[in-house]
């Protein structure tokens, strides 16, 4: 880290962060793979339910959450 990392962020950085929070929608974990990893713009009717990318990601997410609950 550099010396300035402990300083309060400047006006433009605070303004940018504030705008980012208002303009960029939060993506739920359950559909983040669809939003960021899939090349399709839209799923055809029924494709979303059978999508292997989404189903694999959902299974990994469930396993990770179950593991997090087990650890103290």
């Amino acid at each position: 880290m550099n010396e300035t990392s402990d300083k309060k962020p400047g006006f433009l950085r605070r303004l940018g962060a504030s705008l980012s929070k208002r303009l960029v929608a939060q993506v739920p974990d359950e559909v983040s793979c669809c939003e960021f990893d899939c090349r399709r713009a839209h799923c055809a009717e029924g494709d979303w339910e059978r999508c292997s990318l989404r189903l694999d990601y959902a299974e990994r997410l469930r396993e990770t959450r179950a593991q997090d609950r087990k650890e103290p």
Side-chain angles (χ1 to χ4, degrees):
M1 295 221 163
N2 62 25
E3 298 172 35
T4 61
S5 63
D6 293 336
K7 292 183 179 180
K8 188 175 177 182
F11 172 74
L12 290 178
R13 189 167 300 264
R14 289 192 316 264
L15 180 63
S18 176
L19 288 174
S20 174
K21 289 178 184 176
R22 291 185 178 121
L23 298 177
V24 178
Q26 295 293 321
V27 177
D29 288 339
E30 291 77 16
V31 294
S32 64
C33 68
C34 300
E35 186 72 24
F36 301 115
D37 298 337
C38 187
R39 294 183 180 178
R40 293 181 187 180
H42 300 283
C43 287
E45 188 175 321
D47 284 349
W48 191 81
E49 290 87 5
R50 296 185 304 268
C51 177
S52 61
L53 176 69
R54 185 189 65 80
L55 293 172
D56 291 342
Y57 183 77
E59 180 62 30
R60 289 192 314 265
L61 189 61
R62 276 192 296 274
E63 290 171 359
T64 301
R65 287 180 177 168
Q67 213 172 34
D68 289 345
R69 282 188 227 126
K70 289 180 183 177
E71 294 178 3

